[in-house]
Every structure is written in C-alpha cells, then in structure tokens.
C-alpha cells in the first residue's frame, strides 16, 4: 500500500537526548555520560510503570522525577536551579545531524509528516520551535492527549485518527526498538533506526526496515 | 491494623536471580555477571512492555526471550541446549542466606504466608519445591492467573481475593523498588528490601519500612 503519512518518534529518533550530556558534564565533571544514560533509562521505566499502575503524570514530570532519581543514585547533588536548567536543556536538544536534510527531502515527497511522542506539549512544542521545525510537520501529536504512554496501542491509534490516514498507509520511524515493534504490532509500516547496532527486541514483530540514520530513509522510500 | 498475611515477591526478594551468574560464567567466562544483569533488565522490560501492548506470554517465555536478546547483545553464542540449561537453572535459584530462617520465624507468628510473583507456574512451582519451601507458604500466587504482570493493580488484588484478607491487613515484601511502590499505591503495608542501598523510586509512594534483608523483618514486626 502507498504510504500517505510518515510519523516520527521524537526523543532519540529526531532529537539526540544525549546531547544534554554536555550540560550534565559541566555540572558534574566526569559523570555527564553516566547521568545522561541513567536519566533516560529511568525516564522510560517510570513512563511504563506509571501506565501499568494507572498513575499518569505528564512526561515532563516523569523526566524531572527520573533526573532526581538518577542524581541521587550517582551521588550527584541536584538543586532546584540545576534541575530547572536541565529541564530547559531538554527543550533545546540537538537534532541528529542528518535529520534536518532528511525531513526536507521527505517533505518534498508530498506525504504528511508528523511527530508522535510521549513528550507532553510543554516539552515538545518548545523543542520543535527551538529546532526551527514548526513548519516541517503537519501535526505534532503527544500521548499526553490520552494520558498514557507508548507502547499502549491507543497512542498509535491517536495518529491514525488525527491524521485521517489508515494504519497500513502510515510509515513510522523510531530509534527505540520497543517503540518500533509496538508500532509494527499495531499495524504501521516501520523503520527502526538502529544507530548502536543493537539486536532486535523479542516482542513478536520485526521492523520492515532497519536504518543507520534518518538520512537513509528518502532513498529507501524511493526504491 | 493488625497484619493477617505476609506476601512476598519471589525473584530478587526470596531467590537470588544473580545466583544464575555462576552458570553463565561457566559457559561464557568473563561475561557471567554482565549477562545475568542484562538478562534481568530485559526480562523486566519485556514484562512491562508486553502488558502495555496487550500481548501477554508467560514469564517463562519472557525470560527465554530476554536471555536470547542479552546473549545476542553481548555477542555470546547461545544454542538450544544452553538456553534450556539456563532456564532449568532458573528453577533452581538459591534463596538468599537469611531467607529460610526468617520465613521459619515469620511462620511461627501465625500469619498466612504467600508468594505473589510474575513467574508462571512452570517456573515458580519447581523453584519453591527445589528450595524445600512447599509447606512454608499457604499460597503461591502468580500473575499468570490474570495474564498480566506487576505492577498492574489487579495482580495485587489477586492476593487479596485468594487469601481472603483485606489489603490493609496484608504486609508485602519486595526487593524490587517499583514492585514495593506498586503494592504501596495499591494499599498494602510495604517493606522494601534494599540490599544495594539504592534510592527510593519516584512513583508517588514511600515504603513503610526499608530492610537490608528479610532477616530483619521478624524483629520489625515484633517491635
């Protein structure tokens, strides 16, 4: 089936969450990478656990909680000013170097482009604006509208409804293996960006394609 | 309120999942600890993600999948014989050294004792028997009966119903911080066994007590 829309995960897919590591490194020399890693791990874990418990809070609050846990676990002192500055840095992440050019090419292909993210509007809207991408996307969709997180199927259904495009005509791109397979199980056509050469997760599905970066997608779609 | 029952998580709480690391180390010298760690991480991750996706498989199958992923990620060759032997080792974990004595004391206290685990009956029943604990517990309860995993609240509700004891009269013990807080949010009185001196997770609750090991619980209950 012809794809009518391309939908992108945000954190880790378009935007480099570890670009925040440099700011962490300034505050706690020698610990930036470890903090950035644990912060991300706990952010995901809390989003899944809160969904399972039925205790939703916006992703910005999850992210703040995860930062507090990660700093305590690593013995790094965190005060309100540093917490606020790091949350602000999350609204100013860098896109991966090949992302802006790839999005431009994909946009020229005439398909709808959208973001589908766990990120709450208070995080994702400033980030898209910071990266100069407000006109790039037809829609920036957040799981926050449903008060749940990926990989609950209703999050992917939200894209179907808001874009008015059936699932089989949506191409979905994520660097998060679990997100890619959740989307595949839901019914999207899926590309997994596998920058770290990781194995495919064992979650009942395989991505339709594996990319080293978003820059490869325009040629794949043309092939 | 007087506690009428004590309910224990199994893996990591009563039984040392990293005791399997020695077997891993025999197969892949130098990689036993890393494999054991990643195996456990993916086991939990897959259990949460499958619950969110609505694609339940028994914990034994999740555990086998997680082993396959972990071996591939670490570049360790895994064949069917090793996979089977390691799954069998999961049915012969060691209890922590202070566990048998503590359970004996707690049993003498006259309260009902039960296990509440994600583990499917094909895993947990042989393990309890291996450890000589079949007569220790009034019930060995598995989330498998509900085809879901912790920390979905209905798993904790299952203990309430099967034991015939209201939530506020159940004391719950887990070494998994997320499990302890899921149980606390549900309404149990909760002790968290914090062997690694980890921070409390940020999940809307605090445990009622923190222990270094199960051996401390009898004295706490008597105090």
């Amino acid at each position: 089936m012809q794809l009518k829309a391309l939908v992108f995960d945000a954190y880790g897919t378009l935007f480099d969450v570890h670009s925040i590591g440099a700011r962490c490194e300034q505050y706690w020399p020698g610990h930036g990478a470890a903090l950035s890693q644990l912060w991300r791990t706990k952010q995901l874990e809390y989003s899944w656990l809160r969904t399972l418990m039925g205790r939703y809070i916006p992703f910005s609050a999850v992210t703040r909680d995860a930062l507090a846990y990660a700093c305590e676990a690593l013995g790094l002192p965190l005060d309100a000013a540093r917490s606020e500055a790091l949350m602000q840095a999350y609204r100013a992440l860098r896109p991966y170097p090949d992302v802006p050019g790839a999005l431009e090419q994909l946009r020229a292909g005439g398909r709808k482009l959208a973001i589908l993210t766990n990120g709450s509007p208070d995080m994702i809207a400033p980030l898209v604006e910071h990266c100069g991408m407000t006109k790039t996307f037809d829609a920036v969709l957040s799981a926050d509208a449903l008060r749940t997180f990926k990989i609950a199927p209703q999050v992917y259904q939200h894209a179907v409804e808001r874009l008015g495009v059936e699932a089989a005509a949506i191409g979905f791109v994520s660097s998060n293996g679990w997100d890619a397979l959740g989307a595949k199980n839901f019914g999207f056509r899926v590309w997994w960006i596998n920058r770290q050469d990781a194995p495919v997760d064992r979650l009942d599905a395989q991505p339709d394609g594996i990319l080293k970066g978003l820059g490869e997608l325009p040629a794949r779609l043309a092939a």
Side-chain angles (χ1 to χ4, degrees), chain A:
Chain A
M1 177 176 292
Q2 275 299 107
L3 294 179
K4 294 181 184 150
L6 295 171
V7 176
F8 305 89
D9 172 55
Y11 300 109
T13 299
L14 302 178
F15 309 108
D16 184 357
V17 289
H18 296 298
S19 66
I20 211 169
R23 177 67 69 96
C24 295
E25 184 67 23
Q26 284 180 345
Y27 286 153
W28 300 285
H31 300 282
L35 175 58
S36 171
Q37 194 71 50
L38 184 57
W39 183 4
R40 173 67 172 165
T41 298
K42 296 302 286 192
Q43 179 194 48
L44 293 177
E45 189 181 309
Y46 286 172
S47 72
W48 299 331
L49 288 168
R50 284 188 167 276
T51 305
L52 292 179
M53 276 198 298
R55 286 185 169 252
Y56 178 83
I57 58 175
F59 202 61
S60 52
V62 167
T63 301
R64 198 181 289 269
D65 283 349
L67 174 62
Y69 180 96
C71 283
E72 189 182 342
L74 297 172
L76 307 175
L78 178 71
D79 58 23
R82 284 186 175 190
S83 176
E84 189 45 52
L86 285 168
M87 287 301 299
Q88 200 52 44
Y90 232 96
R91 298 183 176 94
L93 299 173
R94 282 194 304 262
Y96 288 96
D98 58 347
V99 161
L103 289 174
E104 202 174 317
Q105 286 183 65
L106 294 168
R107 198 158 170 77
R111 298 181 181 95
K112 288 183 182 179
L113 301 191
I115 285 176
L116 179 65
T117 176
N118 277 340
S120 37
D122 60 330
M123 292 177 77
I124 190 67
L127 176 57
V128 169
E129 190 176 346
H130 169 84
C131 292
M133 293 182 177
T134 40
K135 294 190 175 162
T136 305
F137 298 103
D138 297 282
V140 177
L141 306 175
S142 169
D144 181 70
L146 306 158
R147 296 180 58 82
T148 187
F149 294 114
K150 302 175 189 175
I151 55 176
Q154 60 265 39
V155 178
Y156 304 110
Q157 179 63 28
H158 183 56
V160 169
E161 288 167 13
R162 288 292 304 276
L163 295 174
V165 176
E166 62 187 308
I170 291 181
F172 183 80
V173 185
S174 181
S175 67
N176 296 294
W178 50 274
D179 182 23
L181 299 185
K184 181 64 191 172
N185 280 328
F186 176 75
F188 290 160
R189 189 158 152 205
V190 169
W191 285 270
W192 175 36
I193 300 183
N194 183 14
R195 293 191 185 87
Q196 266 89 43
D197 205 20
V200 178
D201 271 307
R202 269 63 173 182
L203 290 170
D204 291 351
Q206 294 282 331
D208 295 283
I210 300 180
L211 311 172
K212 281 287 169 204
L214 194 67
E216 295 178 4
L217 187 57
R220 293 281 188 104
L221 283 173

